[in-house]
Amino acid sequence: DAGVIQSPRHEVTEMGQEVTLRCKPISGHNSLFWYRQTMMRGLELLIYFNNNVPIDDSGMPEDRFSAKMPNASFSTLKIQPSEPRDSAVYFCASSLDRGLRRKETQYFGPGTRLLVL
Amino acid sequence: AQTVTQSQPEMSVQEAETVTLSCTYDTSESNYYLFWYKQPPSRQMILVIRQEAYKQQNATENRFSVNFQKAAKSFSLKISDSQLGDTAMYFCAFMKKTSGTYKYIFGTGTRLKVLA
């Protein structure tokens, strides 16, 4: 298996531009997670989906952030408009949820390094 | 609220030696999972080991093992025979699921440097 695939790996953009990050989870996994990592705040869970449905988006910082999962093999995280404070590494992770006692581990993608100038 | 604390921001160890990274957490739950993730300079997050709270036996994965003390809410990671490739940030993480909602909480990490 190729693992979790994220694109782009690096993104540099100007303040005010729209940024779209993409994620392809591991085939067969039914849960998908978006994280943000910064030096100041560490690793933060932004949102997660279960069976393509957003379950908890309480970590999404503000309305400029949105996430979608149109099908089981693809998800996007969009920032519009982007701001310099959005600069971070954004990770996507997936797992197979078969109930708490059979919870599978999250597998992380390589991350997208976003720099907003 | 659940919290995860890693009290050692940085540690170093000589190659081939053993090192223990500490992690404590706070929760009122009885069923949960604990994880250690490794993040090398490439920034990718790699699962090292996981522990189910309902299991008393400590998890082991080759050179990696944990000391899980449920009553003390402690979950330390021991790395035996340290290798240069073990140099990385190590994150302790807590996960539980209630009412169909997952809760993942990560510690702030410990930067481990293995010295030649």
Side-chain angles (χ1 to χ4, degrees):
Chain A
D1 198 314
V4 176
I5 299 172
Q6 289 187 248
S7 65
R9 294 292 305 275
H10 303 271
E11 177 82 22
V12 180
T13 190
E14 291 185 338
M15 182 174 63
Q17 296 298 305
E18 177 180 294
V19 175
T20 299
L21 310 182
R22 297 173 177 79
C23 176
K24 177 179 168 56
I26 291 174
S27 178
H29 282 188
N30 59 358
S31 294
L32 184 141
F33 307 81
W34 281 103
Y35 289 88
R36 176 173 69 177
Q37 186 179 37
T38 62
M39 289 292 292
M40 294 297 294
R41 301 174 68 91
L43 195 64
E44 304 172 277
L45 177 63
L46 300 177
I47 185 171
Y48 81 86
F49 296 83
N50 188 254
N51 294 321
N52 311 339
V53 177
I55 302 299
D56 184 359
D57 64 354
S58 59
M60 295 286 264
E62 47 196 277
D63 292 344
R64 297 185 297 106
F65 286 70
S66 63
K68 294 182 179 180
M69 192 164 186
N71 57 63
S73 60
F74 183 66
S75 176
T76 59
L77 177 67
K78 187 176 293 185
I79 308 172
Q80 167 63 22
S82 58
E83 296 182 4
R85 60 194 170 114
D86 301 330
S87 298
V89 180
Y90 290 82
F91 288 99
C92 175
S94 72
S95 69
L96 177 61
D97 176 18
R98 294 183 290 189
L100 182 60
R101 290 232 161 181
R102 301 189 65 189
K103 181 70 181 72
E104 294 292 337
T105 306
Q106 289 186 63
Y107 293 87
F108 282 73
T112 295
R113 293 195 189 206
L114 173 65
L115 177 61
V116 182
L117 302 174
Chain B
Q2 287 82 18
T3 59
V4 176
T5 302
Q6 293 180 250
S7 59
Q8 305 150 313
E10 293 186 0
M11 294 189 71
S12 61
V13 62
Q14 289 294 135
E15 195 176 7
E17 297 294 310
T18 296
V19 64
T20 299
L21 310 183
S22 67
C23 173
T24 59
Y25 58 95
D26 186 24
T27 183
S28 57
E29 301 289 329
S30 58
N31 290 328
Y32 50 87
Y33 281 68
L34 295 163
F35 305 86
W36 277 99
Y37 284 90
K38 168 185 176 182
Q39 187 178 45
S42 66
R43 302 304 296 274
Q44 187 160 0
M45 294 285 280
I46 303 167
L47 175 69
V48 175
I49 200 166
R50 71 174 185 176
Q51 174 81 41
E52 294 89 341
Y54 62 88
K55 289 186 177 179
Q56 293 186 338
Q57 186 174 5
N58 289 326
T60 61
E61 286 288 341
N62 301 314
R63 298 184 295 107
F64 299 88
S65 61
V66 297
N67 183 4
F68 175 46
Q69 301 290 329
K70 191 172 184 179
K73 297 178 183 175
S74 170
F75 183 61
S76 61
L77 175 69
K78 185 171 80 171
I79 306 174
S80 304
D81 186 25
S82 298
Q83 300 176 358
L84 296 178
D86 296 333
T87 293
M89 281 286 285
Y90 287 82
F91 292 94
C92 177
F94 167 96
M95 187 278 286
K96 72 175 183 74
K97 182 178 180 181
T98 53
S99 302
T101 300
Y102 290 107
K103 192 73 175 180
Y104 281 89
I105 300 171
F106 284 77
T108 52
T110 295
R111 186 177 302 279
L112 175 67
K113 188 170 185 179
V114 179
L115 307 171

